Amino acid sequence: MFHPLRAALRPAIRTFATAVFVAALAAPAAAETGVGGIGSIEIGPRPFHLVDQMKDGPLKDELARCEGPFAAKAFSISHRGAPLQFPEHTREGYLAAARMGAGVIECDVAFTKDRELVCRHAQCDLATTTDILARPELAAKCSEGFTPADPASGRKARAKCCTSDLTLAEFKSLKPKMDAANPDATTVADYMNATPRWRTDLYVDRATLMSHKEYIALVKSLGLKFTPELKAPEVAMPFDGDYTQDAYAQQMIDEYKAAGVAPSDVYAQSFQLRDVLYWLKAEPAFGAQAVFLDDRDETGKGFDNMKPETWTPSMQELADQGVKILAPPLWMLVTAQDGKIVPSRYAEEAKKAGLGLIAWSLERSGPLKDGGGYYYQSVKPVIDRDGDTLTLLDVLARDIGVIGVFSDWPATTTFYANCMKLD
């Protein structure tokens, strides 16, 4: 149990932490100094709010007693920056994640028309993550221009604008926005104006898109680690005649080598096993900790996280091919049993095969009062409040032994890792 005086003071403590955090965000780039290149770590009020929302019990009591100072932790992985509030893959989002103690920062890597690498969640997401549709000269270059919704036929609004439609200079001229689109829109303005209520547009005007090289320079200056994800191309490969998948995979690694980044600081990722196997063969120093992102639940082949016969390849087959780290969505690693969240068969078999585990992505589901959606689907019967975020995180860390967790708001994973004295 926590002391009543501490409980009484907590609102004032949180207000002070919030003020410090906001001040840190407003600090100029020249202030990116100190331990880890970022100065002191400030987690703000959200982790404490989540503790307050937890079900009563020993874990809530333990976390309620946890106090700073807090340090950056490799367990805390920034998912696309800090997209709970900041446009994803922007300089400002990366800095927010670093100031919240993320020890590892992610850049999803796509390529432009002139074969430069940039940070974008998907190669063809520019219509939902930038202002490209409001820029006629650039919208004209989209693979598919804006098509309005047609209620009579049931057609949904859509557009397809890819990084490979633009040069790096054109890409950099775009302004980012929160990732969202209104499928029922009949105008471009309505299509773009779709940010969920539980996110915010407060920081959109100040956000800056990043090339992969710029991301490397920033994260290196902060003294943090990298997790670049090679995105599956949405255009035919080889691109433009001779740009192959292997050339794309190699270019990403080459940019770390050119920047003098140690392979041990880079966790290269891909949903395509072929990329991980390529790095293991062509760049073994980087391949040694490459991450195979597992989305086999989305292939329509009957994946079940409790039935090994539905996993192809098996855990042991992955290990035998040299894969060291496996990263599935949160729900694959857990199941509900006797009213509690417990490790799934998938998690148990992965550990048995000697695979390290990373989970994605915490705090991406919005409010959890209705069960948490996709990321919590295997434990929906026992999820009914935002505090269950920390309950799930505890099972992932303590019972399963994951080596890291992606979060859309890294303060939460930083808080937990410090409280539990994780790396």
Side-chain angles (χ1 to χ4, degrees), residues 306-330:
M306 299 299 287
K307 295 180 179 179
E309 63 271 20
T310 66
W311 315 335
T312 304
S314 69
M315 299 300 182
Q316 191 58 54
E317 287 170 338
L318 287 173
D320 290 344
Q321 293 181 78
V323 175
K324 297 293 191 298
I325 304 175
L326 182 63
L330 300 171

Side-chain angles (χ1 to χ4, degrees), residues 212-213 215-217 220 226 253-262:
H212 182 235
K213 291 177 181 176
Y215 151 84
I216 292 174
K220 185 178 180 182
F226 311 78
I253 299 301
D254 285 346
E255 294 196 350
Y256 290 92
K257 294 166 70 174
V261 175

Side-chain angles (χ1 to χ4, degrees), residues 10 16 29 38 71 121 128 140-142 153 211 241 315 322 381 413:
R10 182 178 289 172
F16 173 75
I38 198 68
H121 174 248
T128 64
K141 300 186 178 189
C142 291
S153 67
S211 72
M315 299 300 182
T413 41

Side-chain angles (χ1 to χ4, degrees), residues 124-406:
C124 297
D125 73 0
L126 298 183
T128 64
T129 64
T130 75
D131 68 342
I132 189 169
L133 294 180
R135 305 274 297 279
E137 74 284 4
L138 296 180
K141 300 186 178 189
C142 291
S143 294
E144 298 177 20
F146 175 70
T147 300
D150 181 7
S153 67
R155 183 186 69 203
K156 297 298 184 181
R158 60 165 290 134
K160 183 179 180 181
C161 303
C162 307
T163 58
S164 51
D165 294 332
L166 306 178
T167 65
L168 175 61
E170 290 168 337
F171 170 82
K172 288 282 292 176
S173 74
L174 296 171
K175 291 185 177 180
K177 72 179 192 67
M178 298 300 277
D179 185 12
N182 176 8
D184 298 317
T186 57
T187 67
V188 165
D190 284 344
Y191 183 76
M192 295 173 61
N193 185 23
T195 302
R197 289 189 303 168
W198 46 274
R199 294 184 185 269
T200 179
D201 289 321
L202 185 61
Y203 303 107
V204 168
D205 290 342
R206 63 175 291 178
T208 311
L209 292 178
M210 300 282 284
S211 72
H212 182 235
K213 291 177 181 176
E214 290 170 332
Y215 151 84
I216 292 174
L218 176 63
V219 176
K220 185 178 180 182
S221 76
L222 300 174
L224 302 175
K225 295 182 183 294
F226 311 78
T227 186
E229 180 189 331
L230 195 76
K231 301 306 297 186
E234 295 184 46
V235 296
M237 299 292 279
F239 174 70
D240 197 26
D242 62 349
Y243 188 58
T244 65
Q245 182 69 24
D246 286 352
Y248 175 32
Q250 185 62 51
Q251 182 182 0
M252 189 182 87
I253 299 301
D254 285 346
E255 294 196 350
Y256 290 92
K257 294 166 70 174
V261 175
S264 59
D265 287 340
V266 182
Y267 295 85
Q269 312 173 76
S270 180
F271 279 106
Q272 299 183 95
L273 181 58
R274 62 147 348 262
D275 295 331
V276 176
L277 298 179
Y278 172 82
W279 291 321
L280 282 164
K281 181 179 180 180
E283 293 287 350
F286 288 88
Q289 59 181 24
V291 180
F292 175 42
L293 297 162
D294 195 349
D295 65 348
R296 288 177 287 180
D297 62 313
E298 298 180 347
T299 62
K301 296 182 179 179
F303 175 91
D304 188 322
N305 70 330
M306 299 299 287
K307 295 180 179 179
E309 63 271 20
T310 66
W311 315 335
T312 304
S314 69
M315 299 300 182
Q316 191 58 54
E317 287 170 338
L318 287 173
D320 290 344
Q321 293 181 78
V323 175
K324 297 293 191 298
I325 304 175
L326 182 63
L330 300 171
W331 78 266
M332 284 192 192
L333 293 169
V334 290
T335 190
Q337 181 178 305
D338 298 327
K340 297 180 179 180
I341 302 172
V342 299
S344 68
R345 182 77 181 277
Y346 177 101
E348 292 170 347
E349 293 298 320
K351 297 295 288 184
K352 188 183 298 183
L355 296 170
L357 290 168
I358 293 174
W360 48 272
S361 295
L362 212 67
E363 298 176 284
R364 189 152 187 86
S365 299
L368 301 187
K369 62 181 181 180
D370 297 320
Y374 170 79
Y375 291 98
Y376 292 80
Q377 60 186 280
S378 61
V379 290
K380 183 176 180 179
V382 296
I383 298 295
D384 64 6
R385 65 193 69 194
D386 286 352
D388 290 329
T389 298
L390 290 170
T391 304
L392 171 61
L393 186 56
D394 188 61
V395 173
L396 293 171
R398 202 187 317 238
D399 298 338
I400 298 174
V402 300
I403 60 177
V405 177
F406 281 93

